[in-house]
Amino acid sequence: MFPAGPPSHSLLRLPLLQLLLLVVQAVGRGLGRASPAGGPLEDVVIERYHIPRACPREVQMGDFVRYHYNGTFEDGKKFDSSYDRNTLVAIVVGVGRLITGMDRGLMGMCVNERRRLIVPPHLGYGSIGLAGLIPPDATLYFDVVLLDVWNKEDTVQVSTLLRPPHCPRMVQDGDFVRYHYNGTLLDGTSFDTSKGGTYDTYVGSGWLIKGMDQGLLGMCPGERRKIIIPPFLAYGEKGYGTVIPPQASLVFHVLLIDVHNPKDAVQLETLELPPGCVRRAGAGDFMRYHYNGSLMDGTLFDSRHDYGAPQEATLGANKVIEGLDTGLQGMCVGERRQLIVPPHLAHGESGARGVPGSAVLLFEVELVSREDGLPTGYLFVWHKDPPANLFEDMDLNKDGEVPPEEFSTFIKAQVSEGKGRLMPGQDPEKTIGDMFQNQDRNQDGKITVDELKLKSDEDEERVHEEL
């Protein structure tokens, strides 16, 4: 449309001052002009030939609008078109920048509504017209489609489409979020989507447009929102590339997958606690447990039930992710827990098989059995004091040396008689073999009385050497 202030490109043939005078004179004279019959002046005739089903807001005075139009005379001859220029009209309504007839004709319009406006001369370019383009006393016909409307007083509009019944935490400034989104202009034109992968970023740290920062606050994992962002909280007067025009309102449909903060610890909830729990798991204990592992949107990435046997691990031995190791601490046999593990205590930014980078993990864990662990560095311990004549008892054939067979037979007998125990969770044969290698100092395949030493004695000797 032709602004009464800054001219459109089709009017650049006239000097700016001359154009402004022409428009002002035309409008001024038109307002005092009677209809041919001497009756009241005609108003704009509005034909609403397409009205969208949903109309969340209507154009009001002072709103900023973006629209396309075709302008013709009564005989159908076209005098101007925004389509021909491939450029939307982007302007404020009701402040004198448009001819009066267009200002009035746009009032109350909805986005995607189509109207035909018949503008009488006194609400257009009056008895003077516009030299070389609009003849005097011309009635103007406009076909208009509204594509965007916003106001400088607007804020981010948030509509919750789905909120899960359980919300373990809500998004705050400084949190890291993973979400899916579809982005459209206000008229429904799509400009971007997260497609197959999530969009991963920090909130409130300048990585997002301001409106999206605001729209994500307070969301729960699994929540769906519609977020409408005015352009001054989006890409403003410049737009973005070829996909987001200048001064465009943006609409995002967002599904939050998960949220965490780099300061988060493991969240633990006991689902079932058997009665009479006396001994709880601690560092060094050997555990057998079942688990289901899923992402926060419910996607299952692993389950021990699929393997037909419990998972085995020694607590504190760096055999499982740190968050799971932490969550298993203090469990009783038969207890069930739910663990929420932030990515920095799980698989981090790299992820793992079935686990995206920076993903929060949800585990449901059931402890099947627990065995007391051994002190750090020990492969075997006696429940009471070791035999007083250890080498003699170990040297079964009394030849002054202990080969691997005698060593293995002796250790197995100690275990079967309940006098000692091996490190749980490992192949006993391998553990006994490692023990033998530790005692066979010169690696000649046999242990002598001078080589055989208890680890406690070795540790004491090391302390004396350091002193």
Side-chain angles (χ1 to χ4, degrees), residues 70-109:
N70 283 319
T72 62
F73 298 119
E74 187 174 6
D75 61 1
K77 180 181 178 181
K78 182 167 62 176
F79 63 83
D80 196 18
S81 172
S82 62
Y83 293 99
D84 292 347
R85 298 190 297 274
N86 196 30
T87 302
L88 290 165
V89 177
I91 202 166
V92 179
V93 177
V95 294
R97 298 188 64 190
L98 293 167
I99 59 173
T100 304
M102 182 60 81
D103 264 341
R104 295 184 184 181
L106 291 171
M107 289 296 113
M109 276 194 84

Side-chain angles (χ1 to χ4, degrees), residues 134-434:
I134 308 292
D137 296 320
T139 298
L140 308 179
Y141 294 77
F142 294 97
D143 284 286
V144 181
V145 55
L146 183 69
L147 299 179
D148 199 349
V149 54
W150 57 272
N151 192 284
K152 63 181 180 179
E153 303 298 329
D154 285 350
T155 58
V156 175
Q157 301 176 48
V158 175
S159 302
T160 299
L161 308 179
L162 174 67
R163 189 176 179 90
H166 178 62
C167 183
R169 67 170 296 166
M170 295 185 290
V171 176
Q172 301 177 14
D173 275 336
D175 283 346
F176 189 92
V177 294
R178 297 173 56 247
Y179 61 91
H180 284 294
Y181 72 90
N182 289 318
T184 66
L185 305 180
L186 210 57
D187 67 346
T189 301
S190 176
F191 64 81
D192 196 16
T193 178
S194 58
K195 299 179 182 177
T198 56
Y199 191 81
D200 307 342
T201 189
Y202 285 95
V203 175
S205 299
W207 295 100
L208 294 168
I209 56 175
K210 291 182 179 179
M212 183 60 84
D213 266 339
Q214 296 177 20
L216 291 171
L217 292 177
M219 283 193 79
C220 302
E223 182 176 345
R224 294 180 181 270
R225 281 185 178 181
K226 179 182 179 182
I227 303 172
I228 302 177
I229 303 175
F232 54 86
L233 294 175
Y235 294 98
E237 297 179 355
K238 295 183 179 180
Y240 188 83
T242 59
V243 293
I244 298 179
Q247 302 288 20
S249 302
L250 306 183
V251 181
F252 290 93
H253 285 80
V254 177
L255 168 62
L256 183 65
I257 301 300
D258 64 36
V259 52
H260 77 275
N261 192 283
K263 298 179 181 179
D264 284 350
V266 175
Q267 298 179 50
L268 185 154
E269 179 183 355
T270 298
L271 305 177
E272 181 180 350
L273 182 64
C277 176
V278 178
R279 175 69 166 83
R280 293 180 177 271
D285 285 354
F286 180 71
M287 316 273 282
R288 292 184 177 88
Y289 58 94
H290 284 298
Y291 69 88
N292 289 323
S294 63
L295 307 180
M296 293 302 289
D297 65 354
T299 301
L300 186 71
F301 65 83
D302 195 15
S303 175
R304 197 61 203 179
H305 296 282
D306 294 340
Y307 300 93
Q311 176 71 31
E312 298 181 346
T314 300
L315 283 186
N318 297 320
K319 299 298 184 182
V320 297
I321 58 173
E322 183 179 350
L324 184 55
D325 194 282
T326 299
L328 291 169
Q329 300 277 350
M331 285 192 77
C332 297
V333 174
E335 182 179 349
R336 292 175 54 243
R337 285 183 178 181
Q338 177 179 280
L339 312 175
I340 298 178
V341 181
H344 52 276
L345 298 177
H347 295 290
E349 296 180 0
S350 300
R353 186 178 63 180
V355 178
S358 299
V360 179
L361 306 184
L362 176 67
F363 290 96
E364 289 193 3
V365 182
E366 179 182 5
L367 183 58
V368 177
S369 66
R370 183 201 62 78
E371 296 179 37
D372 289 343
L374 302 186
T376 302
Y378 284 75
L379 298 176
F380 173 89
V381 295
W382 276 277
H383 294 311
K384 296 182 180 180
D385 292 334
N389 299 309
L390 179 57
F391 184 82
E392 288 78 1
D393 291 350
M394 193 178 292
D395 182 12
L396 301 181
N397 63 4
K398 308 305 179 184
D399 63 353
E401 56 187 30
V402 177
E405 296 78 14
E406 286 186 340
F407 184 86
S408 177
T409 300
F410 173 78
I411 294 297
K412 289 178 180 179
Q414 296 293 300
V415 173
S416 65
E417 294 170 9
K419 296 178 179 178
R421 56 192 174 89
L422 292 165
M423 173 181 284
Q426 294 190 13
D427 178 13
E429 296 294 341
K430 182 181 184 307
T431 301
I432 294 173
D434 290 342

